[in-house]
Amino acid sequence: MKLAVVGGGSTYTPELVDGFARLRDTLPISELVLVDPGAERLEAVGGLARRIFARQGHDGVITTTSDLDAGVDGAGAVLLQLRVGGQAARERDETWPLECGCVGQETTGAGGLAKALRTVPVVLDIAERVRRASPEAWIVDFTNPVGIVTRALLRAGHKAVGLCNVAIGFQRRFAALLGVAPGAVHLDHVGLNHLTWERAVRLGGPDGEDVLPELLARHGDAIAGDLRLPRAVLDRLGVVPSYYLRYFYAHDEVVRELGTKPSRAAEVAAMERELLEMYRDPALDEKPELLARRGGAFYSEAAVDLAAALLGSGAGSGAGAGAGSGGPRVQVVNTYNDGTLPFLPDDAVVEVQAAVDGGGPVPLAVREPDPLYAGLIAHVAAYEDLALQAALHGGRDRVFKALLAHPLVGQYALAEGLTDRLIAHNREHLAWA
C-alpha cells in the first residue's frame, strides 16, 4: 500500500512516521512518499523518517519528492498537512487582529479566515491533481481550518475526510484519568471543528455507562487547568468544551494575554529551527522529546486508524471504539452533516463520531445539542459557509460579510478594519486582490 503525505517536510512528520512504524499491523505501508516543495526541509525530515522505520524494523520504503503528481500517483490515501505562507503567515494571523481588539489565532476569528482564504484554493488544486493521478485515493485533511477545507473538498466532489486531534486527545486524557485502555472510552463529541463539547464519556461503547460526572467530580481541577478555564464553568455546564472554546468564553481575557507575550507562531518557528537541526543528525533515529511541544498530539494514531478504515486494512490500533470488529470503525471525523444536527444544512461539515469503512464516514446519531451549544454551532456554521464563498470567489465584500458573521467580530467597524488588514497582509496569496 502506498501513502503520500503532502506537506511531508513539516517538522511534525516524524511523529506521523513513528505512528506508521509502530502501528504497521493496523496500516501496512509498502511505500510512504513525503511530498514538499522545500528541498532542504524535506531532506532533513526524510532522512530521520527512514532511520525511524529502520530502527523499528519497518520494511516499507520512504521516498521524498517535490513532484506532487509523481508523489501521489498510485497512492491509496493522501494526507494533507500543509501551511500556505509558512510560519510567517501564521505570525501575521496571530498579530494583526489584535490591533482591532480581536483574538489573533490561526484557526478561528479573523486569522482563521485569512488562513482559509490562502489555503482553500491551494488544497483544491492539489485535490484535482490527486483525482487525476489516483482517482480512487482518499484524501485525509489535517490542514486547518479543517472544517472549511473539508467542506471545500466535499463540495468539489472529492473523496475526503477531515481529521483533528482534539477528540483523540480527550480520549487519551480521560482514559489515563480513569485507568482504562483508550479504546474503552467512547466520547459523546459534538459540534464543528475546533468548536466541540464532550457531553458524555462512556465506557465500552456508545451505550456504555456515562462516567463524565465522575470525571468532573474527581478530576475537574486538572481538566479545567488543561483548558485554562475556571473549574466553576465546567461544573455549571456539566460538559467538557474543547480548549478552542476559550477564545469564545474568555475572548477579552485571551486578547489581553496575547498582547503581553510572543505569539505562538514565534514559539513554533524557534522550535522548528531547533528540530530541523536535530533531524540533520545522522545518529538520531527516533522522534525527539522536543517534538511533543510542537502540537498535534496523537494525530499519528488517529490518522492510522482513519486510513486503515478507509482502505479496509488492519485490526485497529484502539483509538476508535469498535476497531477490530471486522465492520466499520467508530472514530471522530469531519464530514457532511446529512441531517445529524437538524438545525444545520446537510452540506455543513460537522465533527462527530462516525462509522468509517471503505465507503467513507457515516455519522452516528447524536442527541440534539442544548440551545447554549446549538446557537453557537449554527452561528459559526453560517460564518464557515460565508468564509468558503470568500475563499472560492474572492472579493472584499465577501471577506467583510464573513467577518461580520463571525461571533468573535460581529460589529461593522471591526469587520471593516479587519478586512483591510487581512487583505493587506495576504495580498500575495489572494489572486483576486
Side-chain angles (χ1 to χ4, degrees), residues 64-419:
T64 60
T65 182
S66 60
D67 186 333
L68 174 67
D69 299 305
V72 302
D73 186 30
V78 178
L79 279 63
L80 305 183
Q81 53 169 41
L82 55 140
R83 183 182 295 281
V84 179
Q87 293 297 335
R90 177 179 179 174
E91 168 78 18
R92 293 192 292 271
D93 291 345
E94 294 179 351
T95 52
W96 56 262
L98 296 174
E99 297 171 6
C100 296
C102 294
V103 69
Q105 212 277 329
E106 65 159 343
T107 65
T108 193
L113 176 60
K115 193 172 196 300
L117 297 181
R118 294 192 304 268
T119 304
V120 165
V122 174
V123 165
L124 289 178
D125 176 67
I126 291 170
E128 287 298 331
R129 294 164 71 175
V130 170
R131 180 151 53 190
R132 290 196 297 268
S134 301
E136 299 304 313
W138 279 98
I139 296 174
V140 176
D141 179 62
F142 193 65
T143 297
N144 281 317
V146 167
I148 295 172
V149 173
T150 301
R151 197 172 189 177
L153 288 166
L154 291 173
R155 283 192 178 181
H158 296 289
K159 294 176 60 176
V161 186
L163 183 63
C164 180
N165 69 312
V166 167
I168 193 173
F170 275 131
Q171 182 199 46
R172 297 302 174 90
R173 175 68 164 139
F174 295 158
L177 292 173
L178 293 166
V180 301
V185 175
H186 180 95
L187 302 176
D188 179 355
H189 178 102
V190 66
L192 311 175
N193 180 245
H194 289 185
L195 194 86
T196 51
W197 295 263
E198 312 304 331
R199 299 182 299 173
V201 178
R202 301 189 183 278
L203 295 183
D207 299 319
E209 177 191 2
D210 180 13
V211 297
L212 181 55
E214 174 190 343
L215 269 172
L216 289 176
R218 294 176 54 193
H219 305 287
D221 288 342
I223 295 170
D226 292 341
L227 303 175
R228 300 188 64 199
L229 287 172
R231 164 73 184 269
V233 172
L234 302 191
D235 290 337
R236 293 178 73 180
L237 296 179
V239 303
V240 177
S242 158
Y243 48 84
Y244 286 95
L245 263 299
R246 187 168 184 260
Y247 297 115
F248 295 82
Y249 292 165
H251 176 272
D252 293 353
E253 178 183 336
V254 172
V255 168
R256 288 192 295 270
E257 288 177 2
L258 293 176
T260 63
K261 63 181 183 179
S263 69
R264 173 63 177 165
E267 294 176 356
V268 171
M271 204 179 304
E272 287 196 336
R273 290 190 291 271
E274 188 174 351
L275 284 169
L276 285 171
E277 192 61 34
M278 291 179 176
Y279 295 172
R280 295 186 183 98
D281 180 358
L284 183 66
D285 59 3
E286 58 185 346
K287 61 180 182 180
E289 291 185 11
L290 177 61
L291 186 55
R293 292 165 44 201
R294 171 66 178 81
F298 307 117
Y299 163 44
S300 58
E301 285 88 345
V304 165
D305 269 342
L306 179 55
L310 294 170
L311 300 175
S313 65
S317 71
S325 64
R329 298 180 190 167
V330 176
Q331 185 170 1
V332 172
V333 298
N334 286 261
T335 191
Y336 269 154
N337 178 46
D338 280 339
T340 306
L341 300 180
F343 54 88
L344 294 184
D346 284 348
D347 67 348
V349 165
V350 295
E351 186 172 290
V352 294
Q353 295 274 11
V356 186
D357 60 16
V362 177
L364 302 183
V366 300
R367 290 182 294 116
E368 186 169 347
D370 293 343
L372 178 61
Y373 314 118
L376 187 53
I377 291 170
H379 196 161
V380 174
Y383 151 76
E384 289 189 345
D385 186 37
L386 292 168
L388 181 55
Q389 296 308 312
L392 293 174
H393 305 296
R396 188 184 189 281
D397 282 351
R398 291 190 179 93
V399 174
F400 170 80
K401 289 176 181 177
L403 287 167
L404 187 62
H406 200 293
L408 297 184
V409 181
Q411 299 179 61
Y412 73 85
L414 286 179
E416 289 282 8
L418 290 166
T419 298

Side-chain angles (χ1 to χ4, degrees), residues 31-46:
E31 181 182 5
L32 177 63
V33 184
L34 307 181
V35 183
D36 202 286
E40 187 176 345
R41 293 173 64 98
L42 196 57
E43 180 181 1
V45 173

